[in-house]
Amino acid sequence: MDSSKDDVSCGLCEQPPGCAPEHHGNGMVVGAGNRVRYVIVELRGATACYQAVDDPSRTGKTSAAWLAHELGTDLPDLLGRHYTCRETPAEYGVIQSGFELA
């Protein structure tokens, strides 16, 4: 087995050993990510189904009541609404935050 020192990196942020502590917020590099625009395409019971405007193959679902609260709108007004959120890469997917109506 090759244990070359060239392959050593931080297990949290993949930076060289001795990296700055601010890189370790929930296993992600602080400041990484971008805003993504979504549209709510279906309300299924208590679930809101959404898709990315620029890539309809990127879909997801979440609690409709929670999303309405985050967006500051009424639950019946969700269908067809566009919103943006910040997506930050994490160890097991992405973290969405900063929800705003578009």
Side-chain angles (χ1 to χ4, degrees), residues 37-100:
R37 186 178 180 125
Y38 287 102
V39 61
I40 301 163
V41 294
E42 184 178 6
L43 294 176
R44 221 182 288 162
T47 303
C49 303
Y50 57 87
Q51 69 183 31
V53 172
D54 64 343
D55 182 2
S57 68
R58 289 184 58 196
T59 62
K61 55 187 170 183
T62 192
S63 163
W66 176 84
L67 185 57
H69 174 75
E70 287 296 307
L71 296 174
T73 189
D74 294 325
L75 189 60
D77 297 333
L78 278 181
L79 189 60
R81 284 288 186 128
H82 288 241
Y83 69 93
T84 64
C85 67
R86 182 169 183 79
E87 289 192 344
T88 307
E91 186 175 2
Y92 298 107
V94 297
I95 296 172
Q96 294 180 329
S97 62
F99 292 80
E100 298 174 0

